[in-house]
Amino acid sequence: MGLLRKIRDVGRVAEPAAPRPDGEVLPRARELGGSVQVRCIDAGSCNGCEVEIAAAFNPVYDAERYGARLVASPRHADVALVTGPVTRNMAEPLRRTVAAMGEPRLVVAVGDCAINCGEFAGGYGVEGAVADVVPVDLAVPGCPPEPAEIVAALRRVTGR
């Protein structure tokens, strides 16, 4: 019984939320009401950014406490996190995925490759950056960006 009594006496212990990032909340993000469903799309990356996105949603960085939640279907998503340069084979699927998302929707380009093709610029199989294929609302630079930067971008989207 000692353990249960200790749990009852101590209660729930959690760290306070970090202060909001310096960046403003995106204008269209206000329509989302502080909570977003996020769909990750790999348009042809090396998977470095995907590892960092997974870390952003793990218990250490915990992007969910700021109102961002991963979903499997673009029909349920408000935000698309797109990584990598857009390859020729992924250009049309990326357009269709973003078109399948409901309004209002936001597209976030994650990583240098998504922003300007990075190391893959000029490659024969590269269509271009994400902004060349779909409109981008927010960019997270880095190769790969750190999980804290991804969480800060999501906080700009949720306003938390």
Side-chain angles (χ1 to χ4, degrees):
M1 257 340 216
L3 179 61
L4 293 176
R5 185 173 295 127
K6 184 173 183 178
I7 291 171
R8 186 190 69 214
D9 293 343
V10 171
R12 186 172 180 191
V13 178
E15 296 178 11
R20 272 206 22 182
D22 294 45
E24 291 183 21
V25 177
L26 295 176
R28 292 193 329 184
R30 296 185 199 286
E31 300 172 28
L32 298 172
S35 180
V36 294
Q37 313 301 313
V38 179
R39 171 75 170 124
C40 296
I41 304 166
D42 180 354
S45 75
C46 67
N47 287 342
C49 293
E50 282 77 12
V51 171
E52 301 301 320
I53 290 171
F57 283 90
N58 74 16
V60 174
Y61 294 96
D62 197 14
E64 282 198 30
R65 76 176 146 164
Y66 300 116
R69 190 173 71 105
L70 292 174
V71 294
S73 172
R75 298 198 186 277
H76 300 155
D78 304 311
V79 176
L81 289 182
V82 186
T83 61
V86 182
T87 61
R88 291 184 184 168
N89 291 341
M90 280 300 294
E92 188 58 29
L94 177 60
R95 285 186 196 100
R96 288 182 183 180
T97 300
V98 171
M101 295 169 58
E103 289 286 344
R105 61 177 167 244
L106 298 170
V107 176
V108 179
V110 179
D112 290 341
C113 295
I115 297 169
N116 59 16
C117 296
E119 295 293 318
F120 302 103
Y124 69 92
V126 175
E127 183 83 13
V130 175
D132 298 336
V133 179
V134 294
V136 172
D137 299 294
L138 184 61
V140 183
C143 185
E146 294 192 16
E149 295 170 8
I150 296 168
V151 171
L154 290 171
R155 289 185 73 185
R156 285 191 63 195
V157 170
T158 62
R160 290 178 160 187

